[in-house]
Amino acid sequence: MNELLLGLRLLLGSGRGNRARFLLMATGSAIGVCCLAVILAIPGILAAQDARKAAREPDCSNGLGICASQSGSGLALTRVDPYGLEPLTRIFVATGVTPISAPPGLRALPGAGEMIVSPRLHDLLRADSGLAHLLPGHEAGVIGPEGLAHPDELYAYVGASREVLKGGGHLSEFGKKETRFPTVEPSTLDILRFTLAGVVLLPLAVFLSVCARLSAASRMRRLAALRLLGLSRKGVQRVNAAETVAAALLGAVLGLGGYWVVNQLVSRTGLPGFKWYPEDGSLSFRTFLICLVGCPALAWFVGRASARKAAANPLAVRRSAVEKPPRLWGLLPLLPGVGIVFGYCVAGATGHVPTDTSFSAILMPLAVVLVGAGLVLSLPILSRLLARRVARAASSLSLGLAMRRNEVEPGGALRVATGLVLLVYAASLTQGVLIELDQVSKNTAPVQLYSMALDGMTRETEEAVTKVPGVQGHAVLADSWTDPEREEVPKSINAVIATCEQLRRMASTVKNCVDGRPARLMISGFTYDEFSEPGKSYPFRLRNPEGKSRFVDVRVPAATIQYRDDTPAQIPRSGTVLLPPSVFPAGFRPEGRATLALVGSSAPDAVRAVLEGIAGVDPTIEVETDSLDATALQQITVIKTLLVVGMILGLIIGLAAYLVAATDRAVERRPQVTALSLLGARSRTLRTVQVAQVVLPLAMGLVLAVVTGKMAESSYLVTGGGAVFWDGDGVPLLLGSAFGVVVVAALGSLPLVGRRIDPELIRRD
């Protein structure tokens, strides 16, 4: 306890310079804790949004919004449609005899012809007249915040009659344990955690360590003096730890206060694609514990470790003895990390893509952390080796002085460069994650496919839907009938019921099509239907509007049509049979899994117009939009936004680490610079020395960061299972970023040499 009090007394009474160092340490810790709080608050924000989503879920037994109805009970029907790239959720409700409690955010359920919408939909209804088709009725209220996941959500409760919702399901109450559409799927959330660990948490640990080791040389000399005066080894370590803990604790309090301000401001303005209520960003007790206890604990261990040399050999510290060269154990994390990512790169290059995703989900993050930690620990070793080689071959005085200093003190300049090296490494890794997400979210097809089940759709509705403005073509897709009671594998064929003109409107290539003649569609590069053999017969079960059913046998034709479309999900198998509508009796349509397929432009405005037109025919129709899952696209948008936030935090941490370390190094190097100035060295020579001391080891570290970062990015893409493994387009961006980092570091090294010589700095030496 006495040592701790001594450390605090030294902190407050050792001069203005030491107090300035303490404030710098506290400020750096505050920045780090604020960034850490942002990262730790993200899961809480997502969990709060999902909890409100679950509390408003219609209670249905199968979780699909369509359940077995009961006489006199309420009915509910859930429809989720894309509005641009956002999901528009509509809950159609019809009350019955049994009273139903209103969901959160509503005082009462809307009656027939009424609707209650979210605040953003309230504004959009006045700007987009087509929304009235999706949301029929007059507005009877606005959903409260407790009933919305976030302020900008597109959500509505639409009242309807029981006749309209005859295909709906029994509704007894609102609320479930889990939501059907989480803000971020657990598997996608793992990607976020994995990336933020490399982009933010690893540089943050380095940054906090840098802040805890400010003014290391002067502090070690003072601690060595205390050791020579009789203080024990552990006492010396406790004195140093007391200073670092006090700075870290003050920084933690300031950082939490800074996070509160950031949360209040950003939550009200929002981020692109991701908004939340300020209450959702409130920190949990565990987060407070991590920030207020974990960060000072890290500072305690760093402070004790950094004082070990002064406690063990105080005379060497006071006499500025030559430091021991860094040991090779610093390469230990880098080698296995590089080995793992190199193995994945080789597997991707040779076509042996790993299929065990659960194993890769553990091994890949481990490799990323090992490589990141290895970059930090191996840089002093590689820097000393580079400095020795360059110093022996250099004929320039400036370069020789710079390299000899780096050889004697390899960790000095790299303490400045570590944050920037990790920043480039993290940027490469984040680029790989964004590439994978872009593969998932990118819709490259020029047309959009809309699918609707024919079951329950009247002939008039079908004809009206096909005439919606923006629909370029339509056809009926059906499968032949199979007996569900047969034990063997059922044999069935896929069929497209359309005329040649309809087929041409849906496809980019149609050759050899003859009106009225069945044929097989031959699609190059697609799997052939093994059951589609010419001459075989398959039954199709039909039904007319009166409810009568009958079977019609269809023989697989020998004629073929060369076919190609722009939506692979439309006709996924080669050998699908084209059947003219005249094959079936008038008034009969296939039943079962028959669907009506529409094709239109994939432009966002065109998609919105088609969906609004379909809703104008029947707002309760369930429309599946191939390659346009609005909930999935929203999740990807949220992930991208959070990754950008992580990159911004990583940039802040990297630059803060550089500024803090550069300022600290400028103070520590003043005696040596002053001594060289008194010996006659020109200012230009000293500036060249300072720049070379930082730029050369930094350039070496950046080259290593770019190489290992690209390997980690490629191995991540290999394990992600996407179509892109190697991203050459991102290399110029990384090299440009690395060059910019070198320029910034060089400019930051110039102020280390001042114009005024102060002999007082070397008086005691």
Side-chain angles (χ1 to χ4, degrees):
M1 191 64 182
N2 293 331
E3 292 87 353
L4 299 179
L5 295 177
L6 177 59
L8 295 178
R9 291 183 64 183
L10 290 174
L11 175 65
L12 299 175
S14 54
R16 184 174 58 184
N18 196 51
R19 288 193 293 271
R21 175 186 59 81
F22 173 78
L23 292 177
L24 188 61
M25 290 173 61
T27 303
S29 299
I31 296 174
V33 169
C34 183
C35 295
L36 178 62
V38 171
I39 297 303
L40 296 178
I42 290 175
I45 294 174
L46 300 178
Q49 293 185 354
D50 289 344
R52 286 195 297 273
K53 287 183 178 182
R56 70 188 184 193
E57 286 281 350
D59 185 16
C60 293
S61 60
N62 60 10
L64 298 177
I66 300 177
C67 314
S69 61
Q70 297 179 2
S71 176
S73 64
L75 298 177
L77 196 64
T78 302
R79 292 290 179 257
V80 181
D81 302 291
Y83 187 82
L85 297 179
E86 300 177 72
L88 168 58
T89 305
R90 299 172 293 153
I91 307 296
F92 292 90
V93 293
T95 57
V97 178
T98 306
I100 302 174
S101 300
L106 273 69
R107 294 182 179 179
L109 289 173
E114 298 178 341
M115 62 177 176
I116 302 177
V117 298
S118 62
R120 184 156 175 241
L121 272 180
H122 171 79
D123 298 333
L124 287 175
L125 280 169
R126 285 147 181 79
D128 186 359
S129 58
L131 270 177
H133 297 308
L134 292 165
L135 301 169
H138 68 274
E139 186 178 327
V142 177
I143 304 174
E146 61 273 15
L148 297 173
H150 56 84
D152 276 359
E153 189 176 19
L154 303 177
Y155 206 86
Y157 295 90
V158 182
S161 63
R162 297 180 62 85
E163 291 74 18
V164 173
L165 298 186
K166 59 183 179 181
H170 166 62
L171 173 66
S172 58
E173 61 180 356
F174 289 89
K176 290 184 177 181
K177 293 182 179 179
E178 296 181 354
T179 177
R180 291 170 51 196
F181 305 107
T183 305
V184 177
E185 291 286 349
S187 58
T188 312
L189 190 59
D190 292 338
I191 299 176
L192 180 64
R193 293 193 183 102
F194 158 72
T195 309
L196 291 182
V199 174
V200 180
L201 296 184
L202 187 59
L204 181 60
V206 174
F207 173 58
L208 293 177
S209 299
V210 168
C211 292
R213 296 185 61 187
L214 289 178
S215 299
S218 60
R219 291 165 67 189
M220 291 308 102
R221 290 172 62 86
R222 187 180 62 197
L223 294 174
L226 293 176
R227 178 75 176 104
L228 292 174
L229 290 175
L231 196 63
S232 65
R233 289 189 177 185
K234 292 184 177 180
V236 170
Q237 292 178 329
R238 293 193 187 104
V239 168
N240 188 51
E243 295 183 68
T244 56
V245 168
L249 187 58
L250 177 59
V253 174
L254 295 176
L256 291 175
Y259 168 78
W260 183 86
V261 174
V262 170
N263 178 53
Q264 295 295 321
L265 294 177
V266 178
S267 63
R268 284 169 168 79
T269 58
L271 299 172
F274 183 54
K275 293 187 178 181
W276 67 96
Y277 293 105
E279 298 78 13
D280 295 344
S282 300
L283 298 179
S284 62
F285 176 75
R286 183 177 64 178
T287 302
F288 275 104
L289 195 65
I290 292 175
C291 295
L292 293 177
V293 178
C295 293
L298 174 64
W300 170 268
F301 287 108
V302 171
R304 286 179 59 89
S306 59
R308 189 173 301 162
K309 180 180 178 181
N313 195 352
L315 286 177
V317 173
R318 292 296 301 176
R319 295 172 180 174
S320 301
V322 178
E323 295 184 4
K324 294 181 180 179
R327 298 180 181 179
L328 294 179
W329 66 265
L331 297 173
L332 190 59
L334 183 63
L335 296 179
V338 171
I340 294 173
V341 297
F342 180 75
Y344 277 125
C345 291
V346 172
T350 57
H352 299 83
V353 179
T355 56
D356 189 356
T357 56
S358 60
F359 180 71
S360 298
I362 299 175
L363 195 60
M364 191 61 223
L366 177 62
V368 169
V369 174
L370 287 176
V371 172
L375 284 175
V376 176
L377 297 177
S378 62
L379 284 180
I381 302 173
L382 300 178
S383 175
R384 185 173 184 273
L385 180 62
L386 175 67
R388 178 182 294 179
R389 296 289 179 86
V390 174
R392 290 177 180 175
S395 58
S396 169
L397 174 63
S398 302
L399 188 60
L401 284 175
M403 292 300 99
R404 288 305 180 188
R405 167 56 61 180
N406 282 350
E407 181 182 358
V408 174
E409 189 186 0
L414 288 173
R415 187 155 50 94
V416 179
T418 300
L420 301 178
V421 171
L422 285 179
L423 180 61
V424 173
Y425 170 72
S428 179
L429 183 63
T430 306
Q431 183 177 250
V433 178
L434 292 176
I435 290 172
E436 184 188 25
L437 294 177
D438 188 58
Q439 294 182 64
V440 177
S441 61
K442 183 183 295 184
N443 183 14
T444 58
V447 296
Q448 177 63 50
L449 176 65
Y450 309 87
S451 301
M452 291 155 283
L454 280 179
D455 187 22
M457 184 184 298
T458 64
R459 178 74 67 177
E460 293 75 14
T461 301
E462 178 185 351
E463 293 179 358
V465 165
T466 59
K467 297 177 181 179
V468 167
V471 174
Q472 301 173 359
H474 68 278
V476 174
L477 310 180
D479 297 337
S480 61
W481 180 82
T482 56
D483 188 355
E485 297 182 358
R486 300 184 65 176
E487 296 182 357
E488 62 268 17
V489 178
K491 296 181 179 180
S492 176
I493 59 171
N494 305 114
V496 179
I497 304 170
T499 64
C500 289
E501 179 62 24
Q502 289 177 321
L503 195 65
R504 292 188 183 98
R505 289 179 177 271
M506 299 188 67
S508 57
T509 302
V510 177
K511 296 181 180 180
N512 305 325
C513 185
V514 179
D515 284 326
R517 187 184 70 177
R520 287 173 298 146
L521 302 179
M522 308 303 294
I523 311 174
S524 177
F526 279 69
T527 304
Y528 187 80
D529 189 351
E530 59 178 335
F531 299 129
S532 182
E533 298 181 9
K536 286 191 173 183
S537 288
Y538 293 91
F540 280 79
R541 188 171 183 174
L542 311 177
R543 186 177 296 274
N544 66 1
E546 288 75 23
K548 295 181 180 180
S549 62
R550 60 180 297 183
F551 287 92
V552 172
D553 289 335
V554 173
R555 189 178 300 274
V556 179
T560 61
I561 295 175
Q562 297 299 319
Y563 178 86
R564 181 181 179 183
D565 61 37
D566 296 313
T567 56
Q570 177 182 326
I571 301 177
R573 306 181 74 177
S574 182
T576 297
V577 179
L578 172 67
L579 298 177
S582 59
V583 171
F584 301 131
F588 282 85
R589 294 185 306 178
E591 68 173 6
R593 294 190 301 171
T595 59
L596 174 63
L598 309 179
V599 170
S601 172
S602 61
D605 293 339
V607 173
R608 183 186 307 172
V610 170
L611 291 175
E612 290 174 349
I614 295 174
V617 177
D618 184 354
T620 63
I621 292 179
E622 184 174 12
V623 183
E624 294 185 8
T625 50
D626 176 62
S627 302
L628 187 58
D629 187 346
T631 57
L633 290 177
Q634 187 186 44
Q635 290 187 30
I636 292 173
T637 301
V638 171
I639 291 295
K640 287 184 176 181
T641 299
L642 293 178
L643 287 179
V644 172
V645 172
M647 281 301 299
I648 293 174
L649 293 178
L651 178 63
I652 293 174
I653 293 170
L655 292 179
Y658 170 75
L659 293 175
V660 169
T663 303
D664 180 54
R665 185 170 179 269
V667 175
E668 286 189 352
R669 292 287 297 147
R670 283 188 303 173
Q672 290 85 354
V673 172
T674 300
L676 291 174
S677 299
L678 291 176
L679 291 175
R682 293 182 301 175
S683 297
R684 180 181 300 177
T685 302
L686 293 178
R687 288 191 176 92
T688 305
V689 170
Q690 297 298 327
V691 171
Q693 282 182 352
V694 175
V695 167
L696 285 183
L698 175 61
M700 178 201 63
L702 290 177
V703 170
L704 188 61
V706 170
V707 173
T708 56
K710 290 300 296 182
M711 291 175 61
E713 172 195 340
S714 299
S715 59
Y716 174 79
L717 292 175
V718 168
T719 57
V724 177
F725 287 172
W726 324 108
D727 173 45
D729 296 337
V731 174
L733 177 62
L734 281 179
L735 294 179
S737 302
F739 178 76
V741 165
V742 171
V743 172
V744 170
L747 294 177
S749 302
L750 295 178
L752 299 184
V753 179
R755 295 183 179 181
R756 185 174 62 87
I757 299 176
D758 185 8
E760 181 65 21
L761 294 173
I762 60 173
R763 181 180 61 81
R764 295 178 181 178
D765 292 335

